[in-house]
Amino acid sequence: MSVEHETVLVLDFGSQYTQLIARRVRENRVYCEIQPPDLPARELEARAPIGVILSGGPQSVYAEQSPRPDARLFELGIPVLGICYGMQVMAHELGGGVEGSPRREYGRAEIEVSGEGGLFEGCEPRETVWMSHGDNVGELPSGFTSVAATTSAPVVAFEDRERRLYGIQFHPEVSHTVSGDMILRNFLYGVCNAAGDWGMASFLAETVEELRGRYPEGNIICGLSGGVDSSVVSVLLDRAFGDRVKPVFVDNGLLRKHEAEQVMHSLKEGLALSVLAVDAQDAFLSALEGILDPEEKRRTIGRVFVEVFEEAASGIPDARYLAQGTLYPDVIESMSVKGPSAVIKTHHNVGGLPEKHGFELIEPLRLLFKDEVRQLGRELQIPEALIGRHPFPGPGLAVRILGEVTRERTKLVREADAIFLHELREAGFYDKVSQAFTVLLPVKSVGVMGDFRTYDNVVALRAVETQDFMTADWAALPHELLGRAANRIVNEVPGVNRVVYDVTSKPPATIEWE
């Protein structure tokens, strides 16, 4: 950060929700950074955080090679909040006992709050929280008091107010914990005495200043898809560098219906960007021929994108950088960034690029969530029509076509998708769901049309509701809406005779199918 702010550090012990904790902290106008779980105490102290949060994690504290913080962390006088594994590792390091729970708790649970004030200031005596653990704190460390319990766990929250050390077994960062935001606010403002001096306007000003200092020379190619993320990156970089930014829009043949035309109009007319358009449909579709594995699809798309950008760069003097709209959900699902988080899938704009390419990457949004990017877009005065668009994956329709990507299959899913989105808009549901699309399945089913037997493709409809895209619930769309979309798709898209609706949340599924 180029300007000093009060900072809370999150030590990442491998939870998939680590960045969600940071996001919740930032929502409360407190700047937050994620650091490795074993950040040395001397480095931590040098950063002078007003508080430290220990994230959850998948391991047991008594397992061999389980991640541990620097034990001196608890001697620095800095407020510490341990969440789930973070609570257990705090108990373990301070002389308490952690043991396997006789009854694992996953999902919603009711806790009885026995303490007054502290983290639970303003909370009810009985609270609904979100649990995800197989271990319990069985013995309190010296100086700690239990302040909440469930029927199966006598200690689900503890505190040592004198040392300002707190632990909770549940996850306040997820929306399923009813008073989760209040509990975090109590830690930030009641325990850490935060001033609340950070927001998206601060992020914009400081990021522009930081970018100018880090990249003082050379031109920047900005890969544009026309979606929210890449559009915000382009305008942000234009704010920082002006004519040094060279936006390149690549039509890879994997876009939604009429998207290329709509994108170019939005970028040129709405945002006044000077955009170079490249038609690379044949190159992408040829490269994807015969590929079935989703990871190989992503790697192939990443490789061809770089080839296209390198060719575009040959006509741009001193093109040194490639800018992308990578977000944190892309990062955390692709690789472990700070802590030992599990890899879920590769994103072409994170791990899908070949290791050797001719550019240095610029990814100014990689620690932001989608809703924060939209806030940033509004700070940049990007039109709401563009900011409010549903997300579209970098690999485009390739990850919505299960199996081989061909021109014919791409056309089929594109037409079905256009019908589904049209019906959503007509019914007033497009802005009520966070993301909606169709998926072409690698199976065929028997049907009957008129007096003829058919054996044709199956299309799945997917619509989800989410705030952060780290977790999501399937959208309970009206049956009439789904019926109209299905009827139109079967009747208007040749080659489809069955439509199904995906009613799986994230987790256990991801939002996209590949």
Side-chain angles (χ1 to χ4, degrees), residues 22 107 324 332 475 479:
Q324 300 186 120
I332 199 170
H479 293 174

Side-chain angles (χ1 to χ4, degrees), residues 190-206:
V191 177
C192 302
N193 298 313
D197 63 352
W198 188 81
M200 202 49 62
S202 301
F203 177 87
L204 171 57
E206 293 159 24

Side-chain angles (χ1 to χ4, degrees), residues 176-211:
H176 306 296
T177 296
V178 175
S179 297
D181 191 55
M182 181 182 294
I183 291 168
L184 286 175
R185 278 202 310 272
N186 286 337
F187 178 69
L188 295 172
Y189 289 93
V191 177
C192 302
N193 298 313
D197 63 352
W198 188 81
M200 202 49 62
S202 301
F203 177 87
L204 171 57
E206 293 159 24
T207 299
V208 167
E209 182 180 339
E210 184 176 354
L211 287 168

Side-chain angles (χ1 to χ4, degrees), residues 221-255:
I221 294 178
C222 188
L224 269 172
S225 68
V228 176
D229 310 331
S230 64
S231 298
V232 170
V233 168
S234 296
V235 178
L236 173 63
L237 293 178
D238 184 71
R239 175 79 62 91
F241 301 115
D243 291 343
R244 288 174 54 199
V245 181
K246 312 297 180 184
V248 177
F249 171 69
V250 177
D251 185 349
N252 58 9
L254 304 168
L255 303 176

